[in-house]
Amino acid sequence: MQKKSEIKKSLLVSLWFMFLTFPIMVIRVNPVEKLVEWRWRNMVIVGVGSFVLSFVWRYMLRQKEAGLKRIYAGGRYKIPSIQRVSEDRRLFIPLLAVLSVFVVIFPFIFSAYQVNIMTTALMYVVLGLGLNIVVGLAGLLDLGYVAFYAVGAYTYGLLNHHFGLGFWAVLPAGAFMGALFGILLGFPVLRLRGDYLAIVTLGFGEIIRLVLENWNDLSFGPSGIANIDRPSFFGMQLSLQSATVYIYFLMITLALFTVFVVNRLQNSRIGRAWIALREDEIACQAMGIDKTKTKLSAFALGATWAGMMGVFFAAKTTFINPASFTFLESAIILSIVVLGGMGSIAGVIIGAFVLILLPEYLRAFSDYRMLMFGAILVIMMVFRPQGIISNVRRTYKFEGINVPGEKNK
Amino acid sequence: MKAVMEIKKLTVDFGGLRAVDHLDLEVKEREILALIGPNGAGKTTLFNCITGIYAPSEGSMSISPPGKKPGTINGLKPNIVTRKGITRTFQNIRLFPNMTVLENVMIGRHCRTRARIAGAVFRGRATVREEQATVEYSYHILEKTGIAQYVNEFAGNLPYGAQRLLEIARALATEPFILLLDEPAAGMNPQETGVLDDLISKIREEEKIAILLIEHDMRLVMSISDRIAVMDYGKKIAEGTPEEIRNNPVVIKAYLGEEFVA
Amino acid sequence: MEYFVQLFMGGLTRGSIYALIALGYTMVYGIIELINFAHGEIYMIGAFTALIIASVLTLHGFNEIAIFVLASLAAVIYSSAYGFTIEKIAYKPLRHAPRLSPLISAIGMSIFLQNYVLLAQTSDFLPFPGLIPEFGFMKKYEHISSSAELMIFLTTAVVMVILTCVIKFTKIGKAMRATAQDRKMAMLVGVDINRIISITFIIGSALAAVGGVLIASHIGQINFYIGFIVGIKAFTAAVLGGIGSIPGAVLGGFILGWTESFATGYVSSDYEDVFAFALLVLILIFRPAGLLGKSGSQKV
């Protein structure tokens, strides 16, 4: 009986989606040649697909509800395996050793193409970690994060083009410019409510892109800036092949540096204030935390990484134009943070690798990349708002006394 | 005894509604002053005004913290008021549910510590020492408030009574000289109320601070308060010792209506 | 002077479209306090549906009026169906989630729908048939306005009047207003909240579809990305007027339409979109409650 009604439900869902997708998926018109193409196969795919998915959907919803009930009933949060691994030194150290060996030999056993992809993934790790400070820790939804990335990239592009300044000189300048823009943009908007803040940052991001596109005297407009110098190696310019490897190792260093700094920030007085701000703004202020200053520091520190990565991006690709800094880029970085688990460093790293490498390696996916990102945002919010890795944030544990039940916490 | 806070002619308007109406109130050093009155009398609004969440339309609020320069707290931002030594709990619990109990209290230490971004990144000796001191101080407060057994739990998972105590612990961590408690016993069972009763007296004795308390549980109010102020329609209608208040016809009228006045 | 009138009429046309779409934002926000980021995509899907249906009908030799009516009808039906489905999938499971969760989900939905149309149809601009008939009597005024502009303005006006009547005088309208005021209380007095929310999405989406068909046949081409920018602009209009307020959305739409029209006409057309975004940023910073909105203070 139960089964019958479930099947009936799914049949209805499947019929509904076949109806819903009919004009867009089935018919394709060519208005110029006055041709209509009927793709009935798509209708079958949608019908079968939505039939199956509707079961999965309902099953997952039930799972989620059951999980919530368990928490309400006073059950403890389960600690995910990643945290167990990272806490158990016997497992963690060998794992780390294997990983570092792999990282070091990677550029020598794989092609330059692969190395490039890996470098890109690492860039997104840093961007994700930066945005994670703003969104994950401080709870400020910033949809214009890519603006700071653009600021960094153009800082290097322009300084290099006009004054011939090198990568190393501009890297700190880019980080500084990111932070500066973070403060400039952040200052007027930070008293806004959460969802308005999101839209205003989106607006700012678009304004910066549109200005770059139209202010030809400053930015060379849509054609962008070409022939930007790659990072030099102690004053020497490298061949393309060795530059790729060099940039890869540079990126590894930068990523490690970011993880180190962000980790320390997160586990500090300031990091705590960010999290408290995310949890309850009014209580946070009542406990003596300066709301504006704390928000601004999160905004600026998040933007710093974007500025730095902007410089790196310009140096890596040697060419920049406004088209690289659209809202979709912000959305990709946001997907990384959301998928990984807001507020979790390990989560963001895994999120970046999954979202950047998967479409690269599974060619079949690459067309569906943005479709997938959109779906991920929805699915994660509906079923697992805490991300793949939840609660990995190291909480301050008091270890002075024996707390009963500490072991299985 | 000397007054640590003086409120004069305080008025708060919301559009046409006058929530607090020319209120005078004095909080003395190390006293427990209870603020009672029917729902909607303006008690919580007064708290919000003292702690800087609302701005008063009229009147003045001045403080003279022991050992520090006296001053006004009119128009200060909430975080500055807390830094000056006035802190509060909330009627509808406002903890940080996804932070542990210890971290909640550590947030209270924020305004008494100073590590900055550079300190956080480089983690120098001073920062490490400060963090350690913060953890120890916070744990000490948890012990004092009797919820140390929950130290590593998430605040959101605590039983209701313990959450109320945690609010008090978090407030104490800011080292106040006046503690504002907004209905700390609301929703507690008699046993938990008893614990709270002891805790409030203990805080007054050990911390040597003044407590301003909004509460509807009359047994608690009568047993621990030194003085009671009664509010109705934004005005203070009576003030005195518990004994005086109990027999004040104006108070009885406000609570029970005309016909009960003897 | 002629140029001014021309810009004025242009602004009125744009403003009508913004107003139609802004209503969807404002109604949804009024009821569930969510910025329905995917609303712009609903409008885009409406335009695509109309284009597809119109093309098919043209090939089968239907006459112009029939094509116009049927294509518009299909657009309205499909947009409403999409609006309804999106709410059920992406927002309904998140009714009790923290505020930012449904917003992120909405952004995801928007990206998904854009790419869905991109993959299923094409990334190129498609020519949109001029569905709106030419009126003979407009020939005289050709230099300042067109039949299409007049049609857009009139349709918008009629739709507004109908909407206002629905909300003011019908039982559903009353339930919608009650839900917007206090969702819990409305539920307690027997309003079926889920139904009201669905209806709100359906009405909002239908209005967006009307806007989509009108503007697409006026401009003459569409692609999968048209919803994003127009969506943000319509949202700006909604905020400008005071989000949650229906007359506010209309007022905001017209103000934004004229701002854009005059700014591009007299200042520079390169920065067309910048004007709208700058307006959005400025309102949110200086008057987040909008022109007709009430600023509520947060309860502690």
Side-chain angles (χ1 to χ4, degrees):
Chain A
M1 197 59 215
Q2 180 90 36
K3 231 178 212 164
K4 231 182 194 166
S5 81
E6 287 277 301
I7 290 174
K8 207 173 129 199
K9 245 192 229 165
S10 287
L11 265 177
L12 281 176
V13 169
S14 142
L15 277 175
W16 174 252
F17 274 94
M18 270 150 57
F19 161 73
L20 202 60
T21 53
F22 172 68
I24 300 216
M25 294 277 285
V26 176
I27 312 172
R28 177 145 66 189
V29 291
N30 189 333
V32 185
E33 289 167 29
K34 302 237 179 287
L35 282 176
V36 176
E37 185 189 343
W38 297 86
R39 299 167 295 175
W40 293 108
R41 211 177 57 139
N42 283 349
M43 188 177 236
V44 177
I45 295 173
V46 167
V48 175
S50 54
F51 183 77
V52 174
L53 282 178
S54 78
F55 279 106
V56 178
W57 184 268
R58 283 200 301 271
Y59 172 76
M60 280 167 76
L61 268 186
R62 274 198 300 273
Q63 284 287 314
K64 185 187 158 200
E65 260 159 43
L68 280 180
K69 266 190 206 122
R70 231 175 321 170
I71 289 171
Y72 285 138
R76 285 162 186 280
Y77 291 114
K78 259 198 291 180
I79 296 297
S81 47
I82 295 267
Q83 185 170 1
R84 258 182 275 131
V85 170
S86 70
E87 269 175 9
D88 189 344
R89 285 188 170 265
R90 269 176 318 179
L91 265 169
F92 184 60
I93 289 176
L95 211 68
L96 197 69
V98 170
L99 200 66
S100 13
V101 169
F102 177 73
V103 163
V104 171
I105 59 170
F106 183 83
F108 304 106
I109 50 175
F110 286 98
S111 69
Y113 173 75
Q114 307 286 348
V115 175
N116 252 330
I117 291 173
M118 194 48 95
T119 311
T120 307
L122 286 165
M123 284 174 62
Y124 279 94
V125 167
V126 174
L127 288 168
L129 287 173
L131 186 62
N132 186 39
I133 293 178
V134 188
V135 179
L137 294 181
L140 308 166
L141 186 53
D142 179 359
L143 296 179
Y145 191 64
V146 74
F148 309 122
Y149 190 41
V151 164
Y154 272 87
T155 302
Y156 182 48
L158 291 172
L159 287 176
N160 184 265
H161 181 85
H162 292 298
F163 307 107
L165 288 182
F167 172 78
W168 290 106
V170 184
L171 191 64
F176 175 78
M177 286 298 280
L180 186 71
F181 267 75
I183 291 170
L184 284 179
L185 300 190
F187 201 72
V189 304
L190 284 176
R191 63 199 177 93
L192 292 176
R193 249 195 356 235
D195 41 3
Y196 278 14
L197 178 87
I199 299 293
V200 169
T201 50
L202 171 68
F204 267 137
E206 287 296 292
I207 288 176
I208 289 201
R209 186 179 61 81
L210 289 166
V211 167
L212 287 175
E213 220 156 69
N214 291 301
W215 192 1
N216 291 326
D217 298 336
L218 174 82
S219 64
F220 304 97
S223 52
I225 305 171
N227 294 324
I228 302 168
D229 288 338
R230 290 205 173 77
S232 59
F233 184 65
F234 294 107
M236 291 181 288
Q237 287 297 333
L238 300 167
S239 69
L240 186 60
Q241 178 68 34
S242 44
T244 308
V245 176
Y246 175 52
I247 287 174
Y248 166 81
F249 279 112
L250 213 60
M251 194 55 236
I252 293 272
T253 319
L254 273 175
L256 288 175
F257 173 67
T258 314
V259 170
F260 173 80
V261 172
V262 172
N263 182 41
R264 284 212 157 169
L265 280 174
Q266 167 174 321
N267 295 311
S268 73
R269 172 176 175 266
I270 292 162
R272 269 197 310 274
W274 287 336
I275 298 168
L277 196 69
R278 177 190 75 191
E279 299 273 296
D280 189 327
E281 246 181 53
I282 288 175
C284 194
Q285 274 182 297
M287 286 304 112
I289 291 172
D290 188 332
K291 190 172 92 178
T292 320
K293 234 193 208 164
T294 308
K295 280 186 176 179
L296 212 52
S297 68
F299 222 68
L301 278 172
T304 308
W305 301 108
M308 203 185 254
M309 275 307 103
V311 175
F312 191 87
F313 173 73
K316 175 175 173 276
T317 56
T318 71
F319 167 73
I320 50 171
N321 73 348
S324 308
F325 308 105
T326 57
F327 167 68
L328 284 182
E329 199 69 17
S330 290
I332 293 173
I333 304 170
L334 181 67
S335 311
I336 288 172
V337 175
V338 168
L339 177 72
M342 289 191 261
S344 146
I345 291 180
V348 170
I349 296 173
I350 293 173
F353 278 107
V354 170
L355 286 191
I356 304 302
L357 295 185
L358 218 57
E360 289 291 348
Y361 285 120
L362 299 172
R363 275 280 141 207
F365 276 153
S366 63
D367 282 346
Y368 298 93
R369 211 166 91 116
M370 288 315 295
L371 192 77
M372 205 175 73
F373 288 166
I376 280 173
L377 285 177
V378 177
I379 291 168
M380 290 308 283
M381 281 301 120
V382 173
F383 296 114
R384 216 179 147 77
Q386 72 274 41
I388 342 178
I389 296 178
S390 58
N391 272 328
V392 186
R393 182 172 66 86
R394 201 172 73 214
T395 50
Y396 283 80
K397 278 212 183 112
F398 189 80
E399 278 144 4
I401 50 159
N402 272 330
V403 183
E406 175 72 341
K407 275 253 169 64
N408 50 27
K409 198 182 133 42
Chain B
M1 256 192 290
K2 176 174 143 245
V4 284
M5 178 164 70
E6 265 182 282
I7 294 173
K8 277 188 190 139
K9 297 213 166 25
L10 190 79
T11 304
V12 184
D13 290 320
F14 293 122
L17 182 81
R18 182 153 283 189
V20 177
D21 191 358
H22 291 93
L23 183 96
D24 292 306
L25 194 70
E26 224 181 58
V27 181
K28 296 194 176 105
E29 213 176 349
R30 296 178 63 180
E31 75 166 340
I32 297 180
L33 171 59
L35 200 55
I36 63 171
N39 284 325
K43 299 172 308 253
T44 298
T45 307
L46 176 66
F47 268 26
N48 286 338
C49 199
I50 295 173
T51 51
I53 293 172
Y54 298 153
S57 335
E58 236 181 277
S60 71
M61 301 176 285
S62 56
I63 52 166
S64 30
K68 281 191 205 132
K69 265 200 297 206
T72 174
I73 52 167
N74 273 47
L76 294 183
K77 284 206 281 181
N79 52 311
I80 307 291
V81 175
T82 305
R83 189 186 288 255
K84 294 234 176 215
I86 300 176
T87 187
R88 71 176 295 180
T89 64
F90 291 91
Q91 185 181 339
N92 43 342
I93 301 175
R94 299 192 86 121
L95 291 167
F96 308 117
N98 293 313
M99 298 175 85
T100 68
V101 167
L102 186 70
E103 283 172 321
N104 265 273
V105 183
M106 285 169 84
I107 287 293
R109 296 300 296 158
H110 189 91
C111 60
R112 304 288 172 227
T113 47
R114 43 200 308 171
R116 290 179 175 279
I117 292 166
V121 175
F122 298 115
R123 218 171 265 182
R125 274 253 287 287
T127 312
V128 172
R129 211 175 298 147
E130 188 186 87
E131 279 288 293
Q132 211 156 14
T134 304
V135 171
E136 275 161 23
Y137 192 104
S138 306
Y139 186 73
H140 181 65
I141 287 180
L142 286 177
E143 276 183 324
K144 207 181 304 185
T145 41
I147 45 174
Q149 73 267 31
Y150 299 118
V151 62
N152 293 329
E153 296 281 349
F154 282 99
N157 290 359
L158 252 51
Y160 188 78
Q163 291 199 5
R164 287 236 174 254
L165 294 180
L166 178 54
E167 276 235 339
I168 297 178
R170 188 180 64 177
L172 280 179
T174 64
E175 295 181 54
F177 69 93
I178 302 178
L179 176 61
L180 312 181
L181 300 177
D182 198 346
E183 297 195 25
M188 281 188 168
N189 61 34
Q191 193 193 345
E192 288 172 323
T193 311
V195 173
L196 182 73
D197 186 337
D198 294 341
L199 176 64
I200 294 176
S201 314
K202 190 169 118 188
I203 291 170
R204 192 249 307 260
E205 290 315 313
E206 290 181 5
E207 309 288 322
K208 305 187 171 49
I209 62 177
I211 294 171
L212 183 55
L213 167 80
I214 296 176
E215 188 48 69
H216 284 302
D217 184 330
M218 281 306 143
R219 209 169 340 157
L220 178 71
V221 169
M222 292 296 167
S223 73
I224 61 169
S225 319
D226 300 309
R227 288 191 308 138
I228 296 175
V230 189
M231 278 180 82
D232 195 17
Y233 292 109
K235 290 196 173 87
K236 187 171 77 178
I237 57 168
E239 189 176 342
T241 62
E243 202 51 40
E244 286 164 6
I245 294 298
R246 210 193 299 264
N247 301 319
N248 188 326
V250 181
V251 177
I252 298 170
K253 192 176 121 194
Y255 265 90
L256 301 173
E258 198 79 51
E259 60 272 28
F260 286 89
V261 184
Chain C
M1 188 59 201
E2 209 172 84
Y3 188 51
F4 179 85
V5 176
Q6 205 183 327
L7 291 179
F8 183 86
M9 290 307 289
L12 199 66
T13 314
R14 277 171 188 244
S16 306
I17 301 295
Y18 292 151
L20 279 175
I21 303 167
L23 281 171
Y25 280 108
T26 248
M27 286 166 64
V28 166
Y29 196 93
I31 285 190
I32 55 173
E33 299 214 322
L34 163 75
I35 299 172
N36 180 12
F37 213 84
H39 192 59
E41 269 56 60
I42 301 273
Y43 146 93
M44 178 268 291
I45 284 175
F48 257 95
T49 309
L51 169 76
I52 291 164
I53 300 296
S55 307
V56 172
L57 294 181
T58 311
L59 284 180
H60 287 81
F62 280 72
N63 79 11
E64 268 183 33
I65 303 288
I67 291 175
F68 178 57
V69 171
L70 288 175
S72 309
L73 205 63
V76 168
I77 290 172
Y78 270 96
S79 284
S80 305
Y82 271 92
F84 171 81
T85 312
I86 289 168
E87 195 273 324
K88 287 277 178 272
I89 290 177
Y91 310 144
K92 189 167 174 246
L94 294 171
R95 281 287 147 76
H96 304 290
R99 238 184 129 87
L100 288 183
S101 302
L103 182 58
I104 294 176
S105 179
I107 293 166
M109 207 22 127
S110 158
I111 297 172
F112 182 87
L113 289 175
Q114 271 176 28
N115 287 278
Y116 156 70
V117 173
L118 165 79
L119 292 168
Q121 293 288 322
T122 169
S123 62
D124 303 328
F125 271 97
L126 293 177
F128 197 93
L131 292 175
I132 304 174
E134 291 285 334
F135 304 121
F137 63 87
M138 282 302 290
K139 277 265 156 50
K140 259 194 290 183
Y141 307 102
E142 233 171 15
H143 53 292
I144 46 170
S145 187
S146 66
S147 305
E149 286 186 334
L150 184 75
M151 184 77 182
I152 287 174
F153 177 67
L154 287 179
T155 314
T156 308
V158 170
V159 166
M160 295 298 167
V161 171
I162 296 173
L163 182 69
T164 311
C165 289
V166 166
I167 288 185
K168 273 242 163 78
F169 302 119
T170 64
K171 212 173 150 194
I172 285 173
K174 207 186 264 176
M176 281 167 80
R177 280 181 289 148
T179 312
Q181 291 243 323
D182 188 334
R183 203 196 311 175
K184 261 198 198 123
M185 201 55 219
M187 203 149 69
L188 287 176
V189 297
V191 175
D192 181 349
I193 300 294
N194 286 330
R195 199 170 135 247
I196 291 302
I197 293 173
S198 288
I199 291 174
T200 308
F201 270 87
I202 289 171
I203 295 178
S205 306
L207 296 176
V210 172
V213 175
L214 291 175
I215 193 71
S217 61
H218 180 44
I219 292 177
Q221 57 172 8
I222 56 172
N223 80 344
F224 72 98
Y225 200 61
I226 54 169
F228 180 71
I229 294 282
V230 174
I232 290 181
K233 287 184 181 171
F235 176 75
T236 305
V239 174
L240 181 59
I243 199 151
S245 148
I246 288 177
V250 179
L251 179 70
F254 286 128
I255 291 180
L256 183 67
W258 281 317
T259 308
E260 275 196 356
S261 183
F262 288 122
T264 48
Y266 287 121
V267 187
S268 156
S269 60
D270 287 348
Y271 288 95
E272 186 191 323
D273 293 341
V274 175
F275 295 121
F277 287 127
L279 193 63
L280 170 67
V281 170
L282 291 176
I283 311 156
L284 282 180
I285 291 170
F286 293 109
R287 198 176 157 75
L291 297 172
L292 301 182
K294 279 174 282 194
S295 61
S297 68
Q298 213 169 358
K299 200 163 161 56
V300 180

